[in-house]
């Protein structure tokens, strides 16, 4: 028996990286998972099904409100309910503040912050009448500020404020809303650092992690599974770091 048996979850940006890790861990705990991403993520769905779980793929651009509305409607129609919403989809377009284009500012805000707003809002609209639900939003240690990431930091700080507000507004409706801030996690994107300067860039990042190694998507996924479970029913409005001590 899994902690999430009988529950339905949506995970955005679940085609790879962190989102994939989260989707797989929720499925391991028994959740039926809608694997949402810009492109079909049938490979992730197949992994879940081969392990005996239930999953479905859905293509969505989280920066478009109607598409997010359709995503929630699909989850409810396919699996009968929506209990867990994980807003993970995000992009970065790094650059120093004085060189950053308006286009790159707008794009990151649209996906990382507005997309999280749409996902949170649509899920809560469904969950409030049922007086039950879990919202888990993925931010970053960069919400505290990071060189070359004014757009990303602003978006991820906004995610924190949005989530804390949602938590306060919906606590008496049985809905918890929490933020996970991953640290340096080994994904398709970060492993490319092993090819930079003979691996020096990768080693530099790992050296900043007190536990001495990069995290895995499953590390974040297990935290998400806990927050989605009844074991975390009294935890809301929290910002929880998952970074091996990197985020202070």
């Amino acid at each position: 028996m899994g902690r999430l048996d009988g529950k339905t979850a949506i995970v955005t940006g679940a085609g790879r990286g962190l989102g994939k890790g989260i989707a797989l861990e929720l499925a391991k705990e028994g959740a039926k998972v809608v694997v949402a991403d810009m492109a079909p993520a049938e490979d992730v769905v197949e992994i879940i099904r081969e392990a005996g779980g239930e999953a479905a793929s859905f293509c969505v651009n989280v920066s478009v409100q109607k598409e997010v509305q359709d995503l929630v409607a699909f989850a409810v129609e396919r699996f009968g309910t929506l209990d867990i919403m994980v807003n993970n989809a995000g992009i970065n377009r790094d650059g120093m503040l004085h060189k950053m284009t308006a286009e790159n500012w707008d794009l990151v805000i649209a996906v990382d912050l507005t997309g999280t707003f749409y996902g949170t809002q649509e899920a809560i609209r469904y969950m409030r009448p049922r007086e039950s639900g879990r919202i888990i939003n993925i931010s970053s240690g960069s919400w505290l500020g990071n060189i070359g990431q004014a757009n990303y930091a602003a978006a991820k700080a906004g995610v924190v404020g949005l989530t804390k507000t949602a938590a306060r507004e919906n606590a008496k409706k049985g809905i918890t809303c929490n933020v996970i801030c991953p640290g340096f996690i080994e994904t398709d994107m970060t492993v490319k650092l092993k090819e930079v300067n003979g691996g020096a860039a990768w080693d530099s990042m790992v050296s900043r992690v007190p536990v001495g190694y990069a995290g895995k998507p499953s590390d974040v996924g297990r935290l998400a599974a806990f927050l989605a479970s009844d074991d975390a029913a009294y935890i809301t409005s929290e910002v929880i770091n998952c970074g091996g001590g990197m985020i202070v």
Side-chain angles (χ1 to χ4, degrees):
M1 294 289 289
R3 289 185 293 182
L4 304 179
D5 284 351
K7 305 292 187 182
T8 296
I10 291 173
V11 183
T12 65
R16 60 190 178 92
L18 278 177
K20 178 179 178 180
I22 293 168
L24 295 180
E25 290 299 325
L26 295 184
K28 284 181 183 178
E29 289 286 354
K32 303 170 186 177
V33 183
V34 176
V35 181
D37 212 313
M38 289 283 287
E42 294 297 340
D43 58 327
V44 180
V45 171
E46 189 60 27
I47 293 171
I48 292 172
R49 289 176 177 170
E50 287 180 353
E54 293 186 58
S57 174
F58 191 89
C59 293
V60 62
N61 179 347
V62 298
S63 69
V64 179
Q65 187 175 28
K66 177 61 165 59
E67 293 192 22
V68 178
Q69 292 171 341
D70 291 344
L71 168 62
V72 171
F74 171 81
V76 174
E77 180 179 355
R78 182 64 178 268
F79 295 123
T81 186
L82 175 62
D83 307 286
I84 303 154
M85 183 73 183
V86 183
N87 293 296
N88 165 77
I91 61 171
N92 63 297
R93 296 291 186 273
D94 295 350
M96 296 297 284
L97 179 61
H98 63 285
K99 296 180 180 179
M100 185 170 291
T101 65
E103 179 183 9
N104 281 344
W105 172 271
D106 291 343
L107 185 59
V108 170
I109 295 297
V111 175
D112 295 21
L113 179 54
T114 305
T116 299
F117 161 68
Y118 289 151
T120 300
Q121 183 183 58
E122 289 305 317
I124 281 176
R125 283 173 171 169
Y126 177 82
M127 293 171 177
R128 278 180 65 88
R130 291 154 184 80
E131 299 192 348
S132 176
R134 299 283 185 267
I135 306 293
I136 301 166
N137 291 333
I138 306 301
S139 181
S140 164
S142 292
W143 81 276
L144 297 168
N146 197 30
I147 292 172
Q149 290 193 314
N151 48 4
Y152 187 73
K156 292 304 187 179
V159 167
V160 172
L162 165 67
T163 309
K164 285 182 170 289
T165 299
R168 287 176 177 268
E169 290 182 356
N170 295 281
K172 291 185 178 179
K173 289 292 185 178
I175 302 168
T176 67
C177 305
N178 292 290
V179 177
I180 296 176
C181 288
F184 187 58
I185 307 296
E186 185 172 347
T187 64
D188 293 342
M189 181 174 63
T190 60
V191 293
K192 293 178 182 178
L193 293 175
K194 293 182 179 180
E195 302 170 5
V196 179
N197 295 330
W202 173 270
D203 292 341
S204 175
M205 289 301 300
V206 171
S207 71
R208 304 178 195 179
V209 184
V211 299
Y213 58 90
K216 302 287 187 182
S218 57
D219 293 316
V220 181
R222 285 191 290 270
L223 174 55
F226 166 69
L227 290 173
S229 73
D230 291 341
D231 293 336
Y234 203 57
I235 299 173
T236 195
S237 191
E238 296 297 334
V239 179
I240 304 176
N241 296 326
C242 186
M246 181 181 182
I247 307 168
V248 296

